[in-house]
Amino acid sequence: EVQLVESGGGLVQAGGSLRLSCVASGFRFKDYAIGWIRQAPGKGREGVSVIRSSEGTIYYEDSVKGRFIISSDNAKNTVYLQMNSLKSEDTAVYYCAAGYGEAIQRRVHEWDYWGQGTQVTVSS
């Protein structure tokens, strides 16, 4: 059974930091790109950051460049998203998703598996 389990969300003041974790199981981790996709209230899902650890390929959405850092621990099948200098506009449900193959930038429907999401709320 494929599982993606996110953790680490919460309430933080603007300027603060959080670290999200995504633990994957049930598939061959190195064959997949793992992404963080967020959905703010009343908006669609948008890709935040993606990593394909087998090649070290990384993508960041422009609004998070310089503030967020994605990393992976292949031994633990875990991907992390370190979020620094958080802003109120970062408030959203953050989902971890896995997509087979090399593509880094994907449309929402192009991800194969999804986690349940973790809420991040940034107070101003």
Side-chain angles (χ1 to χ4, degrees):
E1 179 188 5
V2 172
Q3 282 194 313
L4 294 168
V5 181
E6 303 102 330
S7 62
L11 173 64
V12 64
Q13 288 189 331
S17 298
L18 284 173
R19 189 176 83 153
L20 306 183
S21 299
C22 171
V23 180
S25 61
F27 61 92
R28 193 174 158 113
F29 188 73
K30 68 176 186 177
D31 289 341
Y32 284 72
I34 307 295
W36 288 98
I37 294 93
R38 67 186 178 188
Q39 186 166 21
K43 296 187 177 181
R45 295 188 181 187
E46 67 168 352
V48 174
S49 185
V50 180
I51 187 168
R52 185 167 158 85
S53 58
S54 56
E55 290 94 27
T57 310
I58 288 175
Y59 160 83
Y60 294 106
E61 193 269 330
D62 284 346
S63 70
V64 307
K65 284 180 181 177
R67 300 190 297 124
F68 291 9
I69 301 170
I70 192 169
S71 62
S72 69
D73 184 337
N74 292 348
K76 296 181 178 179
N77 283 6
T78 300
V79 172
Y80 304 97
L81 186 68
Q82 178 67 42
M83 305 187 295
N84 302 318
S85 302
L86 282 162
K87 306 175 181 180
S88 57
E89 51 262 45
D90 295 317
T91 294
V93 177
Y94 283 70
Y95 297 92
C96 175
Y100 180 80
E102 299 180 354
I104 288 291
Q105 292 182 260
R106 300 169 184 250
R107 297 181 178 88
V108 171
H109 69 273
E110 293 173 333
W111 293 97
D112 298 306
Y113 307 113
W114 290 83
Q116 81 286 355
T118 186
Q119 177 70 46
V120 171
T121 303
V122 183
S123 63
S124 56

